[in-house]
Amino acid sequence: MHVSEILKRDKTLFSFEFFPPKTEKGWEALTNRLSDFEALEPSFVSVTYGAGGSTRTKTHDLVCYLASKTTLDPIPHLTCIGHTRQEIDAILQEYTDVGIDNILALRGDMPIEGCCDGDYTYAADLIDAIHACKGASFGIGVAGFPEGHPETPNRLTQLDHLKAKVDRGVDWICTQLFFDNNAFFDWCEQCELAGINTPIIAGIMPITTLAGMRRMAELAGGANFPATLQRRLYRFQDDLESVRKVGVSWAAQQCAELLDRDVRGIHFYTMNQSSATEEIYQSLGAPSGSQLRGTH
Ligand code: FAD
């Protein structure tokens, strides 16, 4: 379903992010878990896209599997860095052919060394390519960074760049993960001041291990880990189950507050695991996913 229709249907959007497993075992584990995700009745799910040709097909395969074999509504991520126009057009055509309605349009991370061949510099260029795609009218999502993007330390300039993306015509903004709701609420206000009125979906990722927290800090450069959260986690250094409980409970409290403040949506970075998201739903007292989403 086109995301503009989903936004009309659901008062609060819930989405789950998956990555395409690299191995047969990973694929089997995810597909066995899909019924658990279906039971939570998300508004849609999204599938990440990594650099390199092989992942391109894996994203497409998972998106097609979800669309044809489950009740989940999949939205592919697409990154443009390193791609030629012909490659992007071919990918968009493939999604048009299988009836995909929406795309999360991203630039992708710059390679650590050297420059990148390809026809695209920023996500904004990809948005134009998606709009120009013949025979389709994709709903378009973009990334937003409540705690800043490492490449643009000037936060006002960064808002200008987000505004430039939005002005090209996008339907929703999905944020980078964050642990400090105040930073998110403040950034939403800054977006409003900058004239950005696109629905914003808050990115939430429960910490389940201390090593995982370190990886998140690396991947989501700039994300702040509040002292209170760190203190609660470090209390249980070697006790894996307690660390997980603290991380999931923090994320659940974030979600409860976001819902109290009428957030337009919550996007769970699931890492292909359903249990943390299920626990968060339970803690929100949700009798069913659709009731949690609400209607207008
Ligand atoms: P852009 O909007 O192009 O911005 C990139 C940087 O360039 C920013 O610092 C911005 O301020 C700056 N900029 C933009 N326009 C200009 C301009 N005109 N002049 C100068 N500077 C400019 N990565 C993947 O590889 N695969 C995924 O599936 C994936 N999914 C993601 C999902 C979400 C929800 C989020 C938040 C991130 C995801 N990423 C993914 C990571 C993302 O690709 C990187 O964070 C990337 O560095 C930024 O992408 P962007 O789309 O925000 O880029």
Side-chain angles (χ1 to χ4, degrees):
M1 187 187 284
H2 196 281
V3 85
S4 57
E5 293 300 313
I6 299 177
L7 282 160
K8 275 187 218 153
R9 183 192 64 192
D10 297 346
K11 187 165 175 285
T12 314
L13 269 64
F14 283 86
S15 56
F16 304 154
E17 181 173 302
F18 304 140
F19 62 86
K22 287 202 178 92
T23 61
E24 276 296 314
K25 217 172 136 200
W27 179 271
E28 208 184 308
L30 176 60
T31 47
N32 285 339
R33 231 170 262 139
L34 288 174
S35 56
D36 297 335
F37 285 111
E38 285 179 289
L40 300 178
E41 303 175 284
S43 310
F44 62 82
V45 296
S46 76
V47 181
T48 63
Y49 184 89
S54 66
T55 318
R56 164 181 164 181
T57 52
K58 285 199 160 67
T59 301
H60 184 264
D61 291 350
L62 182 54
V63 165
C64 290
Y65 182 92
L66 293 165
S68 60
K69 300 268 196 288
T70 75
T71 55
L72 300 167
D73 189 351
I75 296 185
H77 297 201
L78 180 56
T79 65
C80 57
I81 200 79
H83 272 306
T84 62
R85 281 188 197 287
Q86 288 84 346
E87 285 166 349
I88 290 291
D89 287 348
I91 294 169
L92 292 173
Q93 193 54 56
E94 282 166 10
Y95 285 133
T96 308
D97 293 345
V98 292
I100 294 302
D101 293 314
N102 308 289
I103 306 266
L104 185 60
L106 303 146
R107 185 198 64 182
D109 282 322
M110 297 296 276
I112 293 165
E113 279 172 20
C115 68
C116 222
D117 291 334
D119 293 333
Y120 299 88
T121 314
Y122 297 112
D125 309 322
L126 177 60
I127 297 169
D128 290 342
I130 298 173
H131 280 305
C133 179
K134 287 197 189 73
S137 172
F138 289 109
I140 302 178
V142 292
F145 296 82
E147 295 177 310
H149 185 268
E151 273 172 52
T152 311
N154 181 330
R155 301 287 294 271
L156 296 180
T157 305
Q158 209 190 311
L159 278 174
D160 292 341
H161 294 154
L162 181 59
K163 176 87 166 62
K165 285 199 284 195
V166 163
D167 284 350
R168 284 171 136 97
V170 310
D171 299 276
W172 85 102
I173 298 169
C174 184
T175 78
Q176 180 61 283
L177 58 89
F178 62 87
F179 300 94
D180 175 2
N181 279 1
N182 289 332
F184 171 78
F185 294 132
D186 189 69
W187 179 76
C188 288
E189 271 188 56
Q190 293 184 40
C191 285
E192 248 179 81
L193 292 169
I196 299 166
N197 299 307
T198 307
I200 297 175
I201 301 191
I204 294 292
M205 182 159 174
I207 293 169
T208 52
T209 63
L210 291 177
M213 177 169 79
R214 292 254 151 217
R215 277 196 300 277
M216 282 182 211
E218 199 59 49
L219 286 171
N224 181 38
F225 297 81
T228 309
L229 170 61
Q230 291 191 41
R231 194 176 301 113
R232 289 182 192 171
L233 290 164
Y234 292 151
R235 211 173 271 147
F236 300 108
Q237 287 281 354
D238 302 320
D239 177 350
L240 297 183
E241 188 46 37
S242 294
V243 165
R244 186 179 179 286
K245 273 192 188 141
V246 170
V248 173
S249 140
W250 184 277
Q253 281 168 28
Q254 280 189 277
C255 292
E257 193 190 15
L258 288 165
L259 294 175
D260 289 344
R261 298 270 298 258
D262 283 332
V263 71
R264 198 60 172 87
I266 300 180
H267 178 77
F268 290 97
Y269 291 92
T270 71
M271 299 304 288
N272 293 358
Q273 304 291 329
S274 54
S275 54
T277 313
E278 284 168 333
E279 285 164 46
I280 293 171
Y281 266 59
Q282 276 160 20
S283 83
L284 294 171
S288 78
S290 57
Q291 274 174 283
L292 195 57
R293 292 189 334 241
T295 48
H296 286 290

